[in-house]
Amino acid sequence: MKAKIIGTGSYLPERILTNQDLEKMVETDDEWIVSRTGMKERRIARPDEYTSDMGAAAARAALDDAGITADEIDFILVATITPDYLCPSSSCLIQTALGAKRAAAMDVQAACTGYIYALAIAKSFVETGLCKNVLLIASEKLSSVVDYTDRSTCILFGDGASACVVSSAEGKKGYAISSICLASDGEQSSLITIPTGGCRTQAQQYVKMAGNEVFKHAVRRMESACRDCLSLAQLNETDISWLIPHQANIRIIDAMAKRFEHLPPERVFKTVHKYGNTSASSVGIALDELLKQEKIQHGEHILLTAFGGGLTWGAAILTSSGESI
Ligand code: UT7
């Protein structure tokens, strides 16, 4: 039995932070931001709106889409680097918010690769028979760790959440998780940091990034994850209908996509211009938008890939299925 995604959802806060707004906050300009990142705007959560609130909203949308109720969920996984607290986990807060009384709950920390890592855990839980329905949520309130006086990072990040239901349910339309590849490199851990909250540091809450170095790793690592995943699934790049990369920067997306010469550029799905980099949530938000806006036929493959702090990276292939698998 193959685990499959039977529903997706996402949530973006209402407030839009435009490049013009950022021009008033730091020494930058719209032209620089668009040409270097592809970003025009991003969303910012309300002061009283937290990671678990956004995650619960995305989760409700995914449950609706899947046609199941909260009490049918066996496990809640929340991928985030901006949890409400170190303890309790955001997954437990969301469990209560949804009334998912039967569900076990835990957070997953793999930075911007969190959605793919959580997908691997969900797939294993379902395929080993431990769970029937896993609710996967990625949610980030990155505005809480962004230094809005640092122009090298504050233009990049946005808030948002995504969710999906990974299930063994027979007879439902869904997207089988055909293959997944995960990787990490702790030797490069200093390239992206949020040096707070752990036992080593206190009160240095802002994200710091060696942008140039990270850029090169991102292109190379996402390409290699995609290639590994394709070979694991015994597929070629020509078999892929859509590529959904982590939405870190339009230039990273384009540079990476160019390495797949048989994949038409219009098949690379992008949300970076309107939401910026939403870390763990980004791939899931894009997936939800793609599935709501395009008709995916039985047997089509969607390739997801992400990269982030750790360093961590990974890829997953989803295969559309109109019938039980
Ligand atoms: O999601 C996790 C993974 N994250 C990523 O993959 C992000 C990877 N990195 C990037 O996307 C890019 O490296 C950035 C967008 C962060 C930076 O773009 P870049 O083309 O690598 O620019 P740079 O860091 O080489 O900076 C070029 C110049 C510098 O000025 P000098 O030193 O050449 O005089 C910066 O100070 O641009 C300057 N600069 C800015 N200028 C206007 C940096 N930020 C800004 C800004 N506005 N916001």
Side-chain angles (χ1 to χ4, degrees):
M1 171 247 306
K2 273 237 155 97
K4 58 182 174 177
I5 294 177
I6 59 166
T8 61
S10 56
Y11 172 82
L12 279 310
E14 266 171 41
R15 187 182 151 209
I16 295 173
L17 182 70
T18 63
N19 292 351
Q20 287 70 28
D21 296 329
L22 286 162
E23 284 175 358
K24 294 178 201 137
M25 298 159 69
V26 288
E27 206 184 318
T28 190
D29 56 84
D30 177 57
E31 198 277 326
W32 192 96
I33 302 174
V34 173
S35 65
R36 295 290 179 127
T37 70
M39 295 170 192
K40 295 187 172 132
E41 56 189 45
R42 64 287 296 142
R43 301 298 178 97
I44 303 293
R46 295 187 316 268
D48 64 345
E49 187 174 43
Y50 301 104
T51 292
S52 63
D53 302 315
M54 293 188 285
R60 286 191 190 97
L63 289 173
D64 262 8
D65 195 39
I68 66 167
T69 56
D71 56 3
E72 292 176 77
I73 295 296
D74 304 302
F75 216 108
I76 299 175
L77 292 168
V78 175
T80 184
I81 47 168
T82 49
D84 295 40
Y85 310 102
L86 279 183
C87 185
S89 63
S90 295
S91 50
C92 278
L93 299 178
I94 293 174
Q95 184 217 19
T96 304
L98 297 178
K101 288 203 168 19
R102 286 184 45 248
M106 74 173 181
D107 287 3
V108 178
Q109 210 280 45
C112 304
T113 322
Y115 194 91
I116 309 264
Y117 268 65
L119 207 52
I121 299 170
K123 175 177 163 67
S124 321
F125 282 3
V126 167
E127 292 184 1
T128 54
L130 185 68
C131 300
K132 181 171 180 215
N133 295 312
V134 178
L135 176 60
L136 185 167
I137 298 156
S139 184
E140 301 283 17
K141 186 172 179 174
L142 293 167
S143 58
S144 69
V145 295
V146 163
D147 176 359
Y148 285 98
T149 65
D150 174 9
R151 69 176 181 173
S152 70
T153 52
C154 74
I155 56 154
L156 297 173
F157 297 105
D159 299 334
S162 52
C164 67
V165 177
V166 178
S167 175
S168 61
E170 305 260 316
K172 271 194 188 239
K173 180 168 170 28
Y175 297 85
I177 305 162
S178 300
S179 69
I180 294 212
C181 296
L182 304 177
S184 62
D185 181 0
E187 284 185 11
Q188 310 291 340
S189 58
S190 61
L191 294 183
I192 309 176
T193 59
I194 307 176
T196 195
C199 64
R200 292 199 197 205
T201 53
Q202 282 177 340
Q204 300 173 38
Q205 84 208 46
Y206 296 131
V207 63
K208 307 216 181 323
M209 180 166 66
N212 265 303
E213 279 293 294
V214 170
F215 192 113
K216 287 176 243 165
H217 278 286
V219 174
R220 218 158 21 92
R221 307 297 200 183
M222 283 198 282
E223 183 200 359
S224 82
C226 286
R227 296 214 183 279
D228 288 350
C229 216
L230 283 168
S231 105
L232 199 65
Q234 298 181 310
L235 294 171
N236 296 311
E237 60 188 87
T238 48
D239 297 319
I240 297 298
S241 299
W242 289 96
L243 171 65
I244 303 183
H246 172 45
Q247 308 286 310
N249 183 323
I250 192 89
R251 290 185 297 137
I252 293 176
I253 295 172
D254 290 344
M256 206 268 297
K258 231 173 34 207
R259 294 175 175 217
F260 294 92
E261 55 186 33
H262 301 296
L263 192 77
E266 65 275 13
R267 290 284 160 161
V268 181
F269 198 73
K270 297 168 193 168
T271 60
V272 65
H273 54 290
K274 47 185 183 173
Y275 305 139
N277 180 348
T278 56
S279 188
S281 316
S282 96
V283 159
I285 291 171
L287 175 65
D288 184 45
E289 288 205 3
L290 172 74
L291 298 185
K292 301 283 152 64
Q293 117 191 6
E294 295 289 334
K295 230 179 162 40
I296 312 283
Q297 303 298 331
H298 177 76
E300 282 190 66
H301 304 289
I302 302 169
L303 177 55
L304 313 178
T305 184
F307 166 88
L311 299 176
T312 58
W313 60 97
I317 294 173
L318 308 180
T319 306
S320 174
S321 160
E323 57 215 10
S324 57
I325 301 162

